[in-house]
Amino acid sequence: MRHSIRSTEIPVKIQQHHTRRRRFKAAVKAYFEHAKWAHAAHLPSFEEYMEVAEVEIGVPRLVKSISVRGRLMNDITGFERTDHEVNCYMKQYGVTKQDALRELHKMAADTDNITNEELLTTAGVPSLVLKTVMGLAQSITVCYNGCEGYTQPEGKIKEYMTSMSLVSAD
C-alpha cells in the first residue's frame, strides 16, 4: 500500500524547517555575542545580558520560564565571573551585591509563577510530558539550594545523583 503525501504537508514541513533554522541561527549569534563579551572582558548591561540569554533559549513559555530560572539560579550562586547577571545588574543599577541578589531572586520567583501558571493551563500535552517538565523545574531547586550544585556537584548533589543512579545489589 502506497502512502500519498497531501499537498499541504510539504509547505508545513518546509515552514517548520525554516523556523528551526532561524531559531538555530539566532542561538548561534547569541552564543557568539556571549563569547565576544568574555573575550573582550566586557560587562554588558543587564538588559543586553537577558536579551541574549532569552535568544539562547528560544522555546515555548513553559520551557523558557524554567530555563530562565535555571540561568538566574546558576548566576546567583556562581556570580564571581564577570559576565554573570549579578555583576551586570550591579553595574547597570549601581546597587550592592545584596540588592542585586534580592532582585534576581524576585525574578526567579516570577519565573516560578509563570511555570505554575503554564503547568495548570497547558492543554493538549500529555500529562507525562508535563510531569517531566515539572521534575526539571524541581531539580533546579535541588541543584541550587544554597550552593552552585550544577557546575560544582561535589557534596549533596553528588550524593543525590549517586543515590538515584545506583541500584542495590541485594
Side-chain angles (χ1 to χ4, degrees):
M1 176 180 229
R2 189 166 187 229
H3 176 34
S4 64
I5 298 175
R6 287 178 268 164
S7 61
T8 57
E9 289 179 16
I10 293 174
V12 169
K13 289 190 183 288
I14 291 171
Q15 181 61 38
Q16 289 171 342
H17 172 74
H18 288 300
T19 300
R20 283 191 301 271
R21 190 173 176 182
R22 257 193 326 275
R23 286 181 180 165
F24 180 75
K25 284 181 179 180
V28 168
K29 286 180 183 177
Y31 284 121
F32 184 66
E33 190 68 25
H34 229 147
K36 287 192 318 189
W37 293 339
H39 182 71
H42 169 68
L43 185 62
S45 71
F46 183 72
E47 282 80 15
E48 286 177 310
Y49 187 91
M50 288 305 290
E51 185 177 311
V52 169
E54 288 177 7
V55 168
E56 289 174 0
I57 298 165
V59 292
R61 189 170 186 235
L62 174 59
V63 177
K64 180 179 176 182
S65 68
I66 293 170
S67 299
V68 168
R69 182 168 195 282
R71 182 63 169 257
L72 284 166
M73 296 309 295
N74 185 48
D75 287 355
I76 287 169
T77 57
F79 72 91
E80 289 82 16
R81 288 186 31 216
T82 58
D83 64 339
H84 278 209
E85 291 159 314
V86 176
N87 294 318
C88 296
Y89 196 94
M90 288 168 54
K91 177 186 174 193
Q92 182 167 344
Y93 296 107
V95 298
T96 65
K97 176 178 87 172
Q98 291 77 18
D99 289 340
L101 289 169
R102 187 178 311 110
E103 288 302 313
L104 295 178
H105 276 290
K106 286 180 188 175
M107 291 177 190
D110 290 343
T111 65
D112 285 342
N113 293 338
I114 292 168
T115 299
N116 290 336
E117 178 184 322
E118 290 296 309
L119 283 169
L120 292 171
T121 60
T122 299
V125 177
S127 63
L128 180 61
V129 172
L130 293 176
K131 286 179 183 178
T132 302
V133 171
M134 189 168 62
L136 174 61
Q138 291 169 337
S139 71
I140 292 170
T141 301
V142 171
C143 282
Y144 297 107
N145 189 13
C147 65
E148 216 282 64
Y150 181 70
T151 56
Q152 299 172 354
E154 298 79 22
K156 282 290 183 194
I157 299 302
K158 186 175 181 180
E159 288 177 34
Y160 293 152
M161 297 307 290
T162 302
S163 70
M164 289 190 304
S165 61
L166 292 180
V167 178
S168 177
D170 295 348

